[in-house]
Amino acid sequence: MIRADHARRSLRIHAERLAQTAVDTTLPHRAKATVQQADALARFLDDLSGRFAAHPGSLPRTALPPAPARDTSEEALDEERLLIATATAYPAETRQRRWLVSEDFAFPLHAALWQCLTALTHRGDAVDPITVLWEAQHRGLLAHDIAPADLLTLLSTPVGSPEHWGEKVLQRALLTRAQTVAVSITAFTDDPANSPHQLITGSRRALADLTAVRSRWQQATSPAVPRTARPARTPTAPRAGPPPRITPPPVRATR
């Protein structure tokens, strides 16, 4: 019981550190620090799994609280708007932003517009404010969410690059997911019915959701690997074999 209680308290401390790091705006590299805290939490879970034997039926049955609210600040709103506008202006670059998905957006309208853009580029259609407007109208977005004139204004004011704003949007999604993971793990530790192994299994399942976003964030922020030219093919050396047979010239008859 003492070992189990100590494991429970320690796990809760790791979850609290993860949550605090994800919301700490004073950190110069908050996303990287959050990823490091997630790694520390994963290592702690690996250590716990070596102390407590596994057994079947290990998933916790704790009712999870609602996920933390998404960041809907004016800054987040502007970043998503600028991403949609620049993605419309530079569709060729949008095709390369496969690490961004609609679930990363905090505003449902922007998520739906991103789906419009990716659908157009996937079909190979032309992408401009008019075609995006048509696609949005086809999906029923203009009926309730935004007026056609307002959408054209949004799509026609690009600033910067899709890559820059896409990384901003994805980073916010990463931080939000880290907070959700921390809340879930804290709820597991607050439930005394959970055994140590249930805590381990439930926490790893929660971390897996963060790992999925993290892998896309690392793909987005990693420097591109330069493509090297393929070396020229050298002539194939002749295969070893018997020397060629030389026929001697005919001998002329002498008188």
Side-chain angles (χ1 to χ4, degrees):
M1 289 179 58
I2 296 176
R3 291 172 59 240
D5 287 341
H6 177 70
R8 187 185 304 273
R9 290 193 302 269
S10 299
L11 180 57
R12 182 185 178 91
I13 292 174
H14 277 279
E16 291 174 346
R17 288 175 181 170
L18 178 62
Q20 292 170 359
T21 305
V23 299
D24 189 355
T25 57
T26 64
L27 294 172
H29 304 288
R30 184 162 41 135
K32 292 182 179 180
T34 300
V35 167
Q36 291 172 355
Q37 285 295 334
D39 287 339
L41 175 56
R43 289 192 297 268
F44 178 72
L45 291 172
D46 290 340
D47 181 62
L48 280 186
S49 63
R51 303 182 200 173
F52 298 93
H55 56 83
S58 56
L59 283 176
R61 300 180 180 180
T62 306
L64 296 178
R70 299 292 297 267
D71 183 359
T72 56
S73 63
E74 194 68 25
E75 183 179 6
L77 177 65
D78 289 340
E79 289 172 357
E80 293 190 2
R81 284 175 173 173
L82 290 171
L83 171 59
I84 297 299
T86 53
T88 303
Y90 307 104
E93 295 187 25
T94 303
R95 296 186 185 95
Q96 304 173 10
R97 308 281 87 78
R98 296 184 178 181
W99 37 259
L100 191 70
V101 297
S102 59
E103 291 79 8
D104 296 328
F105 290 80
F107 297 89
L109 173 61
H110 299 157
L113 290 175
W114 182 255
Q115 290 178 332
C116 293
L117 284 163
T118 54
L120 289 170
T121 56
H122 179 73
R123 296 197 302 260
D125 296 341
V127 177
D128 54 56
I130 298 300
T131 57
V132 177
L133 174 65
W134 180 89
E135 184 72 17
Q137 185 175 8
H138 179 71
R139 293 170 179 257
L141 299 180
L142 302 183
H144 308 287
D145 297 328
I146 189 171
D150 293 335
L151 179 57
L152 283 177
T153 300
L154 186 156
L155 297 172
S156 303
T157 54
V159 177
S161 68
E163 182 177 8
H164 172 76
W165 300 118
E167 290 180 10
K168 292 284 189 180
V169 172
L170 184 54
Q171 178 173 300
R172 290 185 185 276
L174 171 72
L175 297 174
T176 300
R177 187 60 59 89
Q179 297 174 53
T180 303
V181 169
V183 167
S184 299
I185 295 177
T186 301
F188 294 151
T189 61
D190 289 342
D191 187 354
N194 288 327
S195 66
H197 195 72
Q198 285 177 308
L199 294 176
I200 295 170
T201 306
S203 298
R204 281 177 167 171
R205 181 73 61 88
L207 268 178
D209 295 335
L210 177 59
T211 301
V213 182
R214 171 184 177 176
S215 63
R216 292 191 287 110
W217 176 75
Q218 290 177 328
Q219 179 184 357
T221 56
S222 298
V225 179
R227 298 182 61 181
T228 56
R230 298 179 63 181
R233 296 184 60 182
T234 56
T236 305
R239 300 176 62 181
R245 185 175 180 181
I246 301 175
T247 304
V251 179
R252 293 184 178 182
T254 57
R255 292 183 180 180

